[in-house]
Amino acid sequence: MGSFSRLIRVDLGSGEVKYDELRDEDVRAYLGGRGIGLLLALKGGYGRPQDPLSPELPLIIASGPLSGAGIPLSSRATAVFFSPLSRRWSYSTVGGSLAVIMRYAGADVLMVTSRAQRPSYIVVEGGRAEVRDASGLWGMGTFDAERALKEVHGQEAAVAVIGPAGENLVPFASINHETWRQFGRSGGGAVMGSKNLKAVVFVPSGRSIEVADPERAWSMISYMTQRLATAAKSYRDNGTLGTIDAANGTGFFPSLYWTGVSAPGWRRISWYEVLSKNYYVGKRATCLHCPVACHKVVTSRRYGGYYELEYETTMALAGLTGVVDPDELIQLASLVDDVGLDTISTGNALGLLAYLTEKGYVDPSEGVRFGDAQRFRELITAIAKREGIGKVLSMGTREAARALGHPEVAIEVKGLDPAGYDPRTLKGMILTYAVAERGADHLWSSGYAIDIPGLAGGRQATGEEKVRAVMDLEERNAIYDSAVLCKFGRNAYGWSELVQVLNAVTGFGYDQASLRETAERIIVIHRYMNGTTVEDDRLPPRWLKEPVEFEGKKYVVTEEEWRRMVMTYYKLRGYDEEGRPTRETLERLGILKAAGG
């Protein structure tokens, strides 16, 4: 068998550290990452708390069985926590080196509870954890804080750190790693801030992990590296930034706070015409054990400095805000990362305020106009500090829209803001956004990866073929988040490849049917823990009432399309018509037994 078993528990209130072993049967049933994190939260009996920042709630940072084995794209880690933004059990993932280095440091899973009496950070090295004073780091941005910790613990250390936004408990604060990588979604940074936890540092004490079949594992490393050379070529050549042109050119780029699907003046931020020629410095950055190297390093010609720009950040901070000046976009993105905010939720919050200002619902002296980069910079700082109108925006778009008197204009599902794929023109995203447990989460089932190339009936299809295709990706994504693997390998890691790499590393003897059941278990346990119903799966009214226009045609999501897709999904997933997993489904997957009922 593989060696994924080491669970370290840290109680920040008492400083007590406990060292436990995960059971093989739990790892087989839930893998690591998202799956094992949810299981630990369920078994902890935390339920659905009234206070999402209660100190006793856990922050679980988990690698996966593949982490550290050298399997291509196996460098992601998952954080599981109760979200202060959506008030649901949620999770976030990050690339870089964290998952691998934490295993080399002797921790497969780290579970943190309680609140430290003073600002603190955790160091894990040689399989042991220690709580240290972080008073000198409190108030620092993420860039400086990470540099300071690496000066103490070495450049090979992996650091997860929060900025002022997390310290000030902004519900969409991020946890940052390797400068430009984040546990971005759902507010993990606020969870760390509520625990007086500035950072977690993993210091490697070895460079290998045990695998069940080393010869087979090496064979799969070689095979998948070759396979990714063609299957992920677009990401290698263009990163995610090539999507800017595809989204605007074919009409799914959310613009001016969800009023359009192609940003006015978008060619100023075109990857092919502008960014790649005038801002890209010719350097690709990569996560550990990744042959794709999708990260594109850019520099601002006006302000200098370097930044790894991504599609979602561009959509949020340029598309939703109307800031299509590349230099200003890079500045906004860098500031958001340094203060420790989720770029997607931040762009949505800024776009919301601009939308309300343009509609006359907010006084211009307090609000902002689309395209006003200087005012947006001020607002980002105000959000991180929770000052002035920034305090209202810091609540997230759902609560901010309510506070500003117009809840009907917010674009969110379950409290989480959507990413760069408008479901009015990409209909697979109806289901993706509706049933995702994090909220309007584009990565829950990645319906855009089916819609954009016109698979399963085409972009506007909403029938059973589309539902089944989205469900297949939903299941693979559950495995990717738990194994843990990067979702950008979805064209290379099909079910056969997943079975082979997991068996080589773990020795669990999966076949496709049993691995699919594992995926289903991870999906259903999450819905069970949140008590999600059909009412939670509803889409924002504006998507159903306000059409967007592209090339002379108007597009909208109809109530009938939404209902048909979710009801088909419920039937196929084993839920009742209210969207709840049936008792038969829960018993078949062993979830009631895991819950102690």
Side-chain angles (χ1 to χ4, degrees):
M1 296 295 180
S3 58
F4 187 83
S5 63
R6 182 75 160 171
L7 168 62
I8 300 179
R9 302 176 187 263
V10 178
D11 184 309
L12 287 170
S14 65
E16 183 181 16
V17 180
K18 294 182 179 179
Y19 303 95
D20 292 335
E21 297 292 318
L22 299 169
R23 301 189 309 167
D24 268 358
E25 53 264 44
D26 288 340
V27 178
R28 184 192 296 268
Y30 291 91
L31 293 172
R34 192 214 301 186
I36 206 71
L38 290 169
L39 179 66
L40 289 170
L42 178 67
K43 286 190 169 184
Y46 297 100
R48 291 288 304 280
Q50 292 297 309
D51 179 6
L53 295 177
S54 169
E56 298 312 309
L57 291 174
L59 169 70
I60 301 166
I61 299 177
S63 63
L66 299 183
S67 307
I71 302 296
L73 305 190
S74 63
S75 58
R76 297 195 74 82
T78 305
V80 174
F81 49 88
F82 194 79
S83 169
L85 181 65
S86 64
R87 293 178 175 264
R88 310 169 59 79
W89 285 104
S90 192
Y91 68 96
S92 189
T93 70
V94 72
S97 64
L98 189 71
V100 176
I101 299 302
M102 72 182 288
R103 294 204 75 188
Y104 291 166
D108 298 326
V109 182
L110 176 69
M111 186 171 182
V112 184
T113 53
S114 194
R115 174 181 169 87
Q117 294 182 0
R118 61 183 181 182
S120 301
Y121 73 100
I122 296 170
V123 180
V124 180
E125 183 176 8
R128 313 297 291 179
E130 178 184 349
V131 180
R132 298 192 183 182
D133 181 26
S135 299
L137 300 171
W138 206 254
M140 279 189 184
T142 64
F143 300 165
D144 287 341
E146 183 171 13
R147 277 193 292 266
L149 287 165
K150 287 202 169 196
E151 287 175 3
V152 173
H153 296 286
Q155 295 304 307
E156 292 187 339
V159 178
V161 63
I162 64 171
E167 296 170 5
N168 292 324
L169 310 185
V170 175
F172 51 94
S174 61
I175 305 170
N176 287 30
H177 168 58
E178 291 186 353
T179 309
W180 300 299
R181 295 173 172 85
Q182 294 82 30
F183 289 110
R185 309 246 63 195
S186 301
V191 175
M192 282 183 63
S194 73
K195 297 181 179 304
N196 246 347
L197 181 63
K198 179 67 175 181
V200 179
V201 181
F202 298 98
V203 182
S205 51
R207 286 288 173 182
S208 65
I209 64 163
E210 178 187 350
V211 300
D213 187 339
E215 183 176 347
R216 184 59 179 159
W218 277 111
S219 175
M220 288 305 299
I221 290 170
S222 176
Y223 173 70
M224 292 309 302
T225 299
Q226 294 174 27
R227 185 171 169 81
L228 284 162
T230 54
K233 187 177 186 301
S234 176
Y235 283 121
R236 181 171 179 79
D237 291 346
N238 305 301
T240 60
L241 293 174
T243 311
I244 296 170
D245 296 65
N248 283 281
T250 62
F252 60 84
F253 192 73
S255 306
L256 304 183
Y257 198 59
W258 301 94
T259 60
V261 286
S262 186
W266 74 267
R267 291 191 182 280
R268 295 180 65 193
I269 54 169
S270 162
W271 166 248
Y272 295 104
E273 297 177 18
V274 178
L275 294 178
S276 65
K277 295 178 179 178
N278 301 319
Y279 292 86
Y280 176 47
V281 299
K283 178 183 177 183
R284 285 193 306 242
T286 187
C287 300
L288 198 56
H289 297 159
C290 176
V292 178
C294 71
H295 297 272
K296 301 298 180 183
V297 181
V298 298
T299 186
S300 167
R301 297 185 300 177
R302 187 177 306 148
Y303 301 109
Y306 297 95
Y307 185 78
E308 288 183 16
L309 193 61
E310 299 281 352
Y311 169 71
E312 298 298 347
T313 295
T314 302
M315 177 283 304
L317 297 178
L320 294 177
T321 67
V323 178
V324 290
D325 180 321
D327 293 285
E328 299 297 345
L329 165 63
I330 293 168
Q331 279 290 95
L332 291 175
S334 185
L335 177 59
V336 170
D337 282 355
D338 196 26
V339 299
L341 289 167
D342 171 18
T343 58
I344 297 175
S345 286
T346 301
N348 272 277
L350 298 174
L352 169 70
L353 184 63
Y355 178 91
L356 291 172
T357 305
E358 298 281 354
K359 290 285 187 180
Y361 300 149
V362 171
D363 190 288
S365 65
E366 193 173 32
V368 63
R369 298 292 185 184
F370 286 117
D372 188 345
Q374 181 177 343
R375 177 60 175 154
F376 283 130
R377 282 198 297 272
E378 296 171 357
L379 288 167
I380 290 165
T381 300
I383 290 170
K385 292 181 177 180
R386 303 190 79 167
E387 295 178 346
I389 191 69
K391 185 175 182 180
V392 177
L393 298 180
S394 75
M395 297 187 295
T397 55
R398 178 173 64 183
E399 299 306 318
R402 288 175 180 170
L404 293 169
H406 292 277
E408 75 282 357
V409 308
I411 300 294
E412 51 80 24
V413 180
K414 304 181 179 81
L416 186 71
D417 317 277
Y421 309 92
D422 196 305
R424 288 168 289 190
T425 54
L426 299 178
K427 293 291 176 75
M429 295 304 294
I430 295 173
L431 187 61
T432 291
Y433 288 143
V435 303
E437 282 302 308
R438 289 201 296 187
D441 173 12
H442 67 297
L443 292 175
W444 177 262
S445 56
S446 303
Y448 64 90
I450 298 162
D451 288 332
I452 293 172
L455 304 176
R459 294 185 179 191
Q460 290 288 300
T462 57
E464 184 172 328
E465 181 185 11
K466 178 65 70 68
V467 172
R468 287 183 179 274
V470 172
M471 289 177 68
D472 180 78
L473 262 181
E474 178 186 42
E475 291 166 2
R476 280 195 282 144
N477 283 1
I479 299 299
Y480 298 152
D481 284 340
S482 305
V484 181
L485 286 164
C486 176
K487 294 183 178 75
F488 288 173
R490 60 179 165 261
N491 292 328
Y493 281 102
W495 287 106
S496 175
E497 291 79 16
L498 288 171
V499 166
Q500 291 180 70
V501 295
L502 282 165
N503 286 342
V505 173
T506 68
F508 284 154
Y510 294 112
D511 56 22
Q512 290 192 34
S514 60
L515 190 59
R516 280 183 179 272
E517 185 176 277
T518 296
E520 186 181 2
R521 184 178 298 112
I522 294 165
I523 292 164
V524 175
I525 194 176
H526 202 165
R527 194 167 182 98
Y528 172 76
M529 290 171 67
N530 280 329
T532 306
T533 70
V534 66
E535 291 304 312
D536 300 306
D537 289 342
R538 290 193 175 276
L539 299 181
R542 284 181 55 206
W543 279 349
L544 278 67
K545 295 178 180 178
E546 295 181 13
V548 286
E549 186 172 339
F550 184 73
E551 294 184 342
K553 292 184 65 176
K554 292 185 177 181
Y555 300 87
V556 73
V557 174
T558 68
E559 176 81 11
E560 192 272 336
E561 286 174 323
W562 167 79
R563 179 165 294 278
R564 179 172 64 243
M565 293 188 86
V566 296
M567 289 302 163
T568 301
Y569 173 87
Y570 293 166
K571 182 179 179 180
L572 295 172
R573 186 59 75 209
Y575 300 164
D576 62 24
E577 290 191 357
E578 291 300 309
R580 297 183 178 91
T582 64
R583 185 173 186 86
E584 179 184 7
T585 297
L586 295 171
E587 288 179 343
R588 175 174 59 82
L589 296 172
I591 292 171
L592 290 181
K593 181 179 179 182

